[in-house]
Amino acid sequence: MTAKDSIVALSSGRLPAGIAVIRISGPQTRFVVETIAGPIKDRVTMLRRIKAADASVIDHGLVLFFPGPGSFTGEDVAEFQVHGSRAVAAKMLETITGFEGVRHAEPGEFTRRAFLNGRLDLVETEALADLVNAETEAQRRFAVRNAEGAQSELYSTWRRRLIHARAMIEAEIDFADEEDVPGSVSEAVWSDVARMIDEIGDHIRGFKTAEIIRDGFEVVILGAPNAGKSSLFNALARREAAIVTDEPGTTRDLLEVMLDLNGMMVRVVDTAGLRDTAGKVEAIGIERARARAREANLVLLLEDIANPMAVGAAPADVPLLKIGTKVDLGAAPLHAYDLVISSTTGTGLSDLLDEIGRRAASAIGDTGDVLPSRLRHVELLAEAQDFLSAAVMGLSQELRAEELRLAADRLGRIVGAVDVEDLLDVIFSQFCIGK
């Protein structure tokens, strides 16, 4: 793809900053750079006096030019590294967009051009978005692995196997009488397809792990009113995120805080106190608490050691830790709890964080595994799996070959090899302007 216009944007962080990086891509790039900064050499960082249209000096900065197609976007690309004041960046953008055929970039437009020019496939562009947004070490490792093509290679390998299988089946159908066509390839083909069904199924099941890496290991705090839920929540957040009073029903809505435990994102959710005699508004909060707990990765069931209160059945099939609270206020049969804590003195909090971190790490497992990183991947993989199952069970070789084609088509859509135009606006809108 050759774009008619060039695009420019501030690609570095929020201003003011030490350095501002202005990126330009497109056919006018070399002309713009040499007009405002003088002659340049390909792929050589050069210190230049950068001038505005009236020949006044905007700034002294570094200029780096990458000729296409060997650039990020596949077009001519240049970067200006100038002092990171708002005034300098604004004047740079004003000067560059003053050239004919140069305009401000839209969100994700640099990456979109990289995709359209074959520099990245669709899965790699999504991984790049994850890398830009990564907040924890686990998210960074996951995004880098996919951005380097591990996920794309898996889907492309499956697709190549299906294309080969379909070719063998169709060869058997069309050239059964030819001597150079094996008498029967069906057994080998359908055995491989059956293995692929299992491989795709195992891969789909990894999406839960990918969700935990991207969205966080969710820990929901449950307990009776005044069991110390909000105090624990504030202690973990290290700030007054929730209101703490002796009045039952203070917390009525769900509150969340994000923690980074050993490079893993953990989402802690504070909830309304569980009790039977609640008003209408409080009852809504209690139902939300129970619903959120049913979807959690871990539930912390808090109980005031000095004043234990029943709160009903804990959510089934969700890992649970029973936590005794306010241990600083009195003794109790501590063996009844998995852990005991005091949010006031800090007793037991480090042990609790260690246990949450251990469980989060166990849920994530080996972050080197190739996992589906988007729900759209899972949906297309499930469709491919259904087509493969239909092919294995089919009676007509012609129809079975068609099921293989449909399955390969779904795998191709994941990486952007076929029919994804309607997805592009949605995917690239997730990027920031300069990416």
Side-chain angles (χ1 to χ4, degrees):
M1 182 206 79
T2 302
K4 294 182 179 179
D5 53 359
S6 297
I7 54 175
V8 63
L10 173 68
S11 293
S12 53
R14 188 174 180 178
L15 301 177
I19 297 292
V21 179
I22 311 292
R23 175 185 287 176
I24 178 172
S25 176
Q28 289 83 6
T29 298
R30 183 183 290 273
F31 175 72
V32 169
V33 173
E34 294 191 335
T35 300
I36 68 174
I40 53 173
K41 296 179 180 179
D42 296 354
R43 301 181 181 278
V44 176
T45 304
M46 308 183 76
L47 179 62
R48 286 284 184 266
R49 180 185 290 110
I50 304 170
K51 298 182 178 180
D54 60 2
S56 63
V57 176
I58 300 174
D59 196 6
H60 294 77
L62 300 179
V63 182
L64 185 57
F65 178 78
F66 302 90
S71 68
F72 173 69
T73 64
E75 307 171 326
D76 285 352
V77 173
E79 289 187 355
F80 297 92
Q81 298 181 22
V82 293
H83 292 96
S85 74
R86 293 188 178 91
V88 170
K91 188 62 177 179
M92 287 288 297
L93 292 171
E94 175 191 323
T95 298
I96 294 172
T97 54
F99 286 84
E100 184 177 355
V102 183
R103 60 174 175 79
H104 290 286
E106 298 175 358
E109 193 167 3
F110 287 92
T111 308
R112 183 169 186 152
R113 292 191 177 197
F115 167 72
L116 294 175
N117 288 320
R119 302 293 293 175
L120 300 170
D121 67 28
L122 209 54
V123 172
E124 289 168 338
T125 66
E126 291 170 325
L128 192 57
D130 288 341
L131 184 59
V132 170
N133 295 317
E135 297 179 353
T136 66
E137 178 61 15
Q139 290 173 338
R140 184 197 64 79
R141 290 197 302 266
F142 181 56
V144 165
R145 183 168 174 78
N146 290 335
E148 290 181 339
Q151 193 178 356
S152 297
E153 179 57 27
L154 176 63
Y155 300 151
S156 296
T157 298
W158 281 337
R159 186 166 180 251
R160 287 193 296 268
R161 286 165 63 184
L162 288 181
I163 292 172
H164 175 74
R166 182 185 169 202
M168 292 298 98
I169 293 299
E170 292 184 347
E172 187 176 76
I173 294 170
D174 296 337
F175 307 106
D177 297 333
E178 299 291 334
E179 292 183 0
D180 58 348
V181 176
S184 176
V185 297
S186 294
E187 183 177 346
V189 166
W190 298 120
S191 177
D192 187 52
V193 170
R195 285 194 299 272
M196 204 179 309
I197 292 172
D198 292 337
E199 291 170 12
I200 292 175
D202 290 341
H203 183 66
I204 289 173
R205 284 187 285 275
F207 183 57
K208 184 174 179 62
T209 298
E211 284 188 306
I212 292 173
I213 294 173
R214 293 185 66 231
D215 301 329
F217 181 83
E218 184 160 291
V219 178
V220 173
I221 304 174
L222 291 182
N226 293 328
K229 299 183 301 302
S230 294
S231 294
L232 173 60
F233 182 77
N234 288 341
L236 296 178
R238 298 184 179 181
R239 59 187 173 87
E240 294 299 314
I243 299 173
V244 179
T245 72
D246 293 331
E247 181 182 344
T250 301
T251 302
R252 297 188 175 187
D253 209 345
L254 303 177
L255 301 176
E256 296 185 13
V257 66
M258 297 294 185
L259 306 179
D260 185 340
L261 297 184
N262 301 321
M264 296 168 292
M265 178 182 287
V266 174
R267 177 186 289 109
V268 180
V269 183
D270 187 21
T271 64
L274 306 181
R275 60 174 177 166
D276 295 328
T277 57
K280 183 180 294 186
V281 175
E282 189 180 347
I284 294 173
I286 291 172
E287 178 51 38
R288 288 181 178 176
R290 293 191 181 279
R292 191 64 174 264
R294 289 192 289 268
E295 303 297 325
N297 301 116
L298 176 65
V299 167
L300 304 182
L301 184 59
L302 271 56
E303 188 174 272
D304 184 343
I305 292 175
N307 184 30
M309 296 175 58
V311 294
D317 301 323
V318 178
L320 181 142
L321 285 175
K322 189 173 183 181
I323 309 296
T325 63
K326 307 180 185 180
V327 68
D328 56 308
L329 298 183
L334 304 185
H335 64 273
Y337 303 102
D338 296 307
L339 291 168
V340 293
I341 64 170
S342 168
S343 299
T344 301
T345 65
T347 301
L349 292 183
S350 61
D351 292 336
L352 176 58
L353 286 171
D354 288 345
E355 181 62 19
I356 293 173
R358 186 188 68 78
R359 291 180 180 240
S362 177
I364 291 174
D366 182 4
T367 54
D369 292 341
V370 180
L371 306 171
S373 56
R374 290 289 192 282
L375 180 59
R376 77 171 189 92
H377 303 168
V378 173
E379 292 172 343
L380 288 168
L381 288 165
E383 289 181 25
Q385 192 179 37
D386 289 342
F387 286 127
L388 294 180
S389 298
V392 169
M393 299 299 294
L395 300 176
S396 164
Q397 289 287 68
E398 288 82 359
L399 292 178
R400 298 173 86 183
E402 175 62 11
E403 299 288 0
L404 294 180
R405 185 192 70 79
L406 292 171
D409 172 83
R410 296 310 185 271
L411 294 174
R413 292 186 185 191
I414 298 177
V415 297
V418 292
D419 191 25
V420 293
E421 186 63 32
D422 56 335
L423 286 172
L424 299 187
D425 288 342
V426 174
I427 290 172
F428 291 109
S429 66
Q430 302 172 50
F431 287 81
C432 56
I433 293 287
K435 196 64 179 176

